[in-house]
Structures are given as C-alpha cells and as structure tokens.
Amino acid sequence: MNGILSDKSKSLAFTGHRIIPVERQDEIRTRLVEAVSLACRSGITCFFSGMAMGFDLMAAETVLSLKGKYPDIRLIAVVPFRRQNCRWPSIEKERYQNIVSRADRVIILSEHYFHGCLLRRNDFMLEHSCGVIAFYDGKPYGGTFYTYREARKRCMDIINLY
C-alpha cells in the first residue's frame, strides 16, 4: 500500500479533539489555513485526516478549500471502520459525506468497529507521515493524547494549534 500513497516525507497527519469551542472555531480555522499553507510551501503534498468529528473534519475541509491555491495537494481520508458516521448528528453526517466525496483517496481500514480501531487508524496515519498538525489541550488521556505522544516518540514534527 505504501507505493500507492505519497512519499512519507511529503505527508502530514491531523489529530485533534472532537469538540472545538464555538468561540474558538474561526480562530482555529484561520490557524489551520496558515499551517496547511505553510506546509504546502514547504513541500508537503499529502494530508491524512482520520475523519472524526471536530478537528479532523475541520482540517479536511481546510485542505479541500486550499486545492485551488495548491493544486498538487491531496486529501487522504483514513476511515477506521465502514459506517464510522452512522450514529452522528445529521449535519455532521452531511459534512462527512461531502468530504469523503471530494477526498483524493478514501482508505477504510476495517469493515466493522472493534475495540482499538481508532488507535489503529491513528497509527496508520503516523506510519505514512513525517509530521502532525494537532489541536491538543495537553491532557494525558484520549486518542489525541495517544497520537501526540506517539508522534513525539517517533521524533516527528508537531504543530499544535491549541
């Protein structure tokens, strides 16, 4: 599968919390545009989103919004299990479907949910990236903590927009 994906040295993954306070959403969107634009100007061409509600979807939308300015960039939607969004609110389902329909590639890692599948998704993204753009509050629990910690263990570049 590695040959099909972009060069690891030209790829970044997103990780972040599912809830972004309403009063910070515009600020975080602006900072995402700046971070993704800087990455593009630095030679990054591939961005992995784990497609969770919150930061992942916002980051994916940001990449898609910048394709006009950076036509070579690609969005890879890494879905931990088929029907990931089946229990989400309808507005979030619509966002998800819109992103999936516009992504350059959709990788579904499992047909069914299983305990640990979200961490497996995060590991997959880290294995194929040289760095991470994060929205991490520093608290030592949860999937974002796990991914941030793993990226640090691997000595990856991390930009934290929190």
Side-chain angles (χ1 to χ4, degrees):
M1 188 179 286
N2 206 13
I4 299 169
L5 298 176
S6 289
D7 180 350
K8 182 176 179 167
S9 69
K10 295 181 180 182
S11 301
L12 290 180
F14 296 110
T15 188
H17 300 299
R18 287 183 175 62
I19 296 173
I20 301 171
V22 174
E23 65 274 9
R24 292 199 63 203
Q25 288 183 10
D26 289 343
E27 168 207 347
I28 298 305
R29 268 192 195 88
T30 299
R31 294 180 74 195
L32 262 168
V33 168
E34 291 168 0
V36 171
S37 296
L38 178 61
C40 292
R41 291 192 302 272
S42 301
I44 298 296
T45 56
C46 184
F47 295 87
F48 290 95
S49 172
M51 298 300 290
M53 280 193 290
F55 185 74
D56 286 6
L57 293 186
M58 184 184 282
E61 289 168 335
T62 299
V63 172
L64 292 172
S65 76
L66 289 170
K67 280 180 160 275
K69 188 172 184 180
Y70 304 101
D72 293 337
I73 63 174
R74 296 172 55 218
L75 174 65
I76 310 296
V78 183
V79 178
F81 62 99
R82 194 174 299 280
R83 295 179 34 91
Q84 171 186 15
N85 69 338
C86 71
R87 295 184 177 172
W88 293 6
S90 60
I91 190 123
E92 294 296 330
K93 283 182 183 179
E94 289 175 27
R95 276 180 82 193
Y96 178 93
Q97 290 301 338
N98 180 272
I99 294 165
V100 164
S101 71
R102 296 169 57 208
D104 295 284
R105 177 131 190 242
V106 178
I107 299 170
I108 299 171
L109 296 177
S110 175
E111 286 301 312
H112 305 285
Y113 175 85
F114 62 88
H115 182 71
C117 70
L118 303 179
L119 299 180
R120 178 174 173 240
R121 180 245 353 248
N122 298 348
D123 288 336
F124 178 92
M125 293 191 304
L126 291 177
E127 287 166 18
H128 293 89
S129 303
C130 68
V132 173
I133 297 176
F135 179 71
Y136 174 51
D137 62 10
K139 294 179 181 160
Y141 53 82
T144 302
F145 161 67
Y146 170 87
T147 308
Y148 195 92
R149 183 188 67 202
E150 289 299 311
R152 289 193 67 194
K153 282 183 190 174
R154 298 171 192 221
C155 300
M156 298 171 82
D157 292 330
I158 302 171
I159 299 165
N160 188 3
L161 304 180
Y162 193 83

